[in-house]
Amino acid sequence: AILSNSNLQNITTYQTKFKNSNLSGCDLSNTILKNCIFTNSNLTDAKLSGSDLSGANLSNSNLTNAKLSGSDLSGANLSNSNFDKAILSNSNLQNITTYQTKFKNSNLSGCDLS
C-alpha cells in the first residue's frame, strides 16, 4: 500500500498487515497499532509519537528520522530495521527484539529498556 504523507492520526487497528507499505511522511500520531505487521515497510519521516505499537513487527523496515517519542513499542520486533536519526525519547522499549537493528544518531533518552 502507498500511504505516504497521509494523515492517519488517532486511528485504532489491531493485527493489520502493512507489509511492504510506503508510509513515509505519514502522520500516525496517537494511534493504536497493536500487533500490526510493518515488515519491509518504509516509515521514513513518519510521525508516530504517542502511539501504541506494542507487539508490532517492524522488522526489515526503514524508520529513518521517524518521530516515536512517548510511544509504546513493548514486545515489538525491530530486527534488521533502521532507526537512524529517529526520536524515541520517553518510549517504552521493554522486551523488544533488536537483532542487527540500527540506532545511529537516534534519541533514546528516557526510554524504558528493561
Side-chain angles (χ1 to χ4, degrees):
I2 299 173
L3 298 167
S4 57
N5 298 309
S6 297
N7 184 348
L8 302 171
Q9 293 181 59
N10 302 306
I11 64 166
T12 299
T13 184
Y14 300 90
Q15 299 178 343
T16 304
K17 294 179 183 175
F18 294 97
K19 289 169 110 174
N20 305 307
S21 294
N22 183 353
L23 297 159
S24 60
C26 198
D27 191 346
L28 291 154
S29 302
N30 303 306
T31 56
I32 297 174
L33 300 163
K34 288 185 177 187
N35 299 308
C36 288
I37 300 169
F38 293 93
T39 306
N40 299 313
S41 292
N42 181 2
L43 290 141
T44 302
D45 296 313
K47 298 174 186 92
L48 292 146
S49 295
S51 294
D52 184 347
L53 290 149
S54 56
N57 186 346
L58 292 152
S59 61
N60 300 302
S61 293
N62 186 357
L63 290 103
T64 299
N65 206 39
K67 314 297 185 269
L68 293 126
S69 58
S71 293
D72 183 358
L73 288 143
S74 59
N77 182 353
L78 311 180
S79 296
N80 298 302
S81 291
N82 184 1
F83 285 85
D84 186 29
K85 299 179 185 172
I87 299 172
L88 293 131
S89 55
N90 301 308
S91 292
N92 181 354
L93 303 178
Q94 293 180 322
N95 301 310
I96 57 172
T97 303
T98 56
Y99 179 74
Q100 295 186 340
T101 306
K102 297 175 185 84
F103 290 101
K104 185 177 178 184
N105 298 313
S106 294
N107 182 345
L108 296 167
S109 62
C111 287
D112 184 351
L113 295 162
S114 58

